[in-house]
C-alpha cells in the first residue's frame, strides 16, 4: 500500500517507538535515531528536523487509513469497523497504546497553535472519518448494517471513540472502558443487523 | 453556591482569563495577576505557585458542576442538559471559548504525566458525568425524557461532546459543528419525548 522506501518505513516505525517512549515533549532526532536500525546520518539526509519527521509520520498515518475497502476482496465491514474503532479507543489500553495516544493529544494541543500541524491532523481526522464512513456505506450496501447515514454515523463514532480516549488516557482508565462498552452497545442496537 | 471569598472568586476569574489569553504554556502568576483586580501579593498569600492556583481552579470548576438539580425549583431538564453540553461543545465556538478548551486539553495532556492534575481532572470528568446523569434521571422521572439508562447515556453524551471538542478546537472547526448537530439529532431521536 505504501510507496515508501524501506528506510522511510523504518524511520516511521522509529518515530512511533520514540513517541511511545518519550512522548511529544521528549521527542528529538536523537530519541528517534535510538530506535532507528540504520545510521543517524540517514535520518538527517531524509528529514530536516524533528518537525519534518513528525509531519511525515502524520502523513504516514493518513495513508494507512486511505487504504481501499473492498467486500469482494473478503473485507468484512463489521470486523473492519471494529478494528478501526480499536485504532482510536481499544478495549484494552496497554501502556504503549496509552503512551502513543497521549503523544497524539500533545500533538493535537500543539496543532491549536501551529497551522502546519493543524493541517496534518485535519487530514488525519478526515482520513479516519472517511474510512469509517466508507466501511459503513459498504456494510449498508451489503445488508450487514441497517440503512443509516454513513457520514453522520461516522461523525458520531469518531467523536464517541475520541472523547472516551481523551479522558481515558489522561485521567481515569475506566472512562475508556465504559465508553467503549457504550459504543459497542450502540453498534449492536443501531447498526448491526 | 460557592463558599469562596470574594478574593478567591476573583482569583478564579483571573485564572480563567489568563488561560484564555495565554494558554496553559503561557500561564504564570504574573499573567494571572494581570487579570486580577487586587494586588499581586494577595495572590501569593492565597496560593503557593501557579500549579496551586490551577488545581484550585479545577476544584472550582468541579463545584460549579456539583450544583443540585431540582425540577421543583423550576429547573427544566431539557434546557439544563442543553446548557451542560454547551459547556463542553458549544454550537458556536468563539475565540475565547476555543482558547479555554485548548488550555483544558493542554491540562489533560499534562495530567497524563502528573498525578496531581490527573486526580483533579478525574474529579472534573466525574462531576460533569454525574451532573448530566442526574439531569437525565430527573427528565426520565418527570416524563420529559424516554426511559434511558442515565449513566450509559451520560457516558455517551460526555464522550461525543468531548470528542467533537477535541478535534474541533485543534484542527477543523467544522468537526465541532457537525458533531454537535449529530448529538442534537441523537437527543431528538433517543431522549426527548
Amino acid at each position: 500500500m505504501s510507496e515508501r522506501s524501506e528506510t522511510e518505513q523504518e524511520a516511521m516505525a522509529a518515530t512511533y517507538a520514540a513517541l511511545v517512549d518519550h512522548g511529544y515533549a521528549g521527542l528529538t532526532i536523537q530519541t528517534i535515531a535510538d530506535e532507528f536500525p540504520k545510521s543517524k546520518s540517514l535520518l538527517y539526509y531524509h528529514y530536516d528536523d524533528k518537525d519534518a519527521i513528525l509531519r511525515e509520520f502524520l502523513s504516514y498515518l493518513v495513508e494507512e487509513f486511505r487504504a481501499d475497502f473492498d467486500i469482494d476482496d473478503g473485507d468484512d465491514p463489521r470486523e473492519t469497523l471494529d478494528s478501526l474503532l480499536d485504532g482510536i479507543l481499544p478495549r484494552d489500553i496497554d501502556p504503549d497504546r496509552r503512551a502513543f495516544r497521549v503523544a497524539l493529544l500533545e500533538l493535537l494541543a500543539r496543532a491549536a497553535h501551529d497551522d502546519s500541524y493543524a493541517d496534518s491532523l485535519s487530514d488525519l481526522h478526515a482520513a479516519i472519518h472517511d474510512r469509517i464512513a466508507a466501511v459503513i456505506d459498504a456494510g449498508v450496501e451489503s445488508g450487514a448494517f441497517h440503512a443509516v447515514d454513513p457520514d453522520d454515523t461516522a461523525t458520531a463514532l469518531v467523536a464517541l471513540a475520541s472523547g472516551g480516549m481523551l479522558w481515558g488516557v489522561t485521567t481515569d482508565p475506566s472512562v475508556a472502558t465504559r465508553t467503549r462498552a457504550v459504543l459497542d452497545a450502540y453498534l449492536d442496537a443501531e447498526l448491526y443487523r
Side-chain angles (χ1 to χ4, degrees), chain A:
Chain A
M1 152 174 73
S2 173
E3 297 186 9
R4 289 166 201 282
S5 67
E6 187 191 321
T7 298
E8 285 166 333
Q9 294 197 34
E10 286 168 345
M12 296 300 98
T15 305
Y16 175 87
L19 279 172
V20 164
D21 285 353
H22 305 282
Y24 171 71
L27 198 76
T28 60
I29 295 239
Q30 184 59 55
T31 55
I32 297 172
D34 290 343
E35 310 279 353
F36 186 61
K38 295 184 175 149
S39 97
K40 186 180 171 183
S41 61
L42 255 176
L43 272 187
Y44 281 109
Y45 175 79
H46 278 271
Y47 309 100
D48 286 340
D49 54 26
K50 129 187 165 170
D51 285 328
I53 301 187
L54 265 177
R55 274 193 292 273
E56 188 65 20
F57 180 71
L58 292 172
S59 300
Y60 171 79
L61 292 182
V62 167
E63 284 168 26
E64 296 281 306
F65 281 104
R66 292 282 183 215
D68 287 335
F69 181 84
D70 191 347
I71 288 181
D72 292 340
D73 283 352
D75 290 341
D76 177 61
R78 197 163 154 163
E79 277 175 25
T80 307
L81 181 59
D82 197 67
S83 97
L84 287 167
L85 294 171
D86 273 350
I88 309 173
L89 181 67
R91 290 190 186 82
D92 170 31
I93 300 188
D94 64 34
D96 279 6
R97 286 192 179 120
R98 175 177 182 270
F100 179 65
R101 282 160 183 78
V102 169
L104 263 186
L105 289 179
E106 287 165 338
L107 274 170
L108 280 165
R110 160 127 198 201
H113 306 287
D114 181 332
D115 281 347
S116 69
Y117 279 105
D119 289 345
S120 297
L121 286 158
S122 283
D123 288 348
L124 179 60
H125 180 274
I128 297 169
H129 175 278
D130 292 351
R131 183 145 167 74
I132 288 179
V135 172
I136 293 170
D137 192 41
V140 170
E141 289 295 313
S142 78
F145 295 167
H146 290 291
V148 299
D149 182 293
D151 203 49
D152 284 352
T153 307
T155 296
L157 293 178
V158 173
L160 251 175
S162 301
M165 183 273 289
L166 170 65
W167 291 100
V169 302
T170 57
T171 60
D172 179 356
S174 76
V175 175
T177 319
R178 279 187 283 133
T179 305
R180 183 62 196 246
V182 164
L183 197 166
D184 287 337
Y186 171 83
L187 293 175
D188 277 336
E190 303 293 330
L191 192 64
Y192 297 155
R193 270 191 200 277

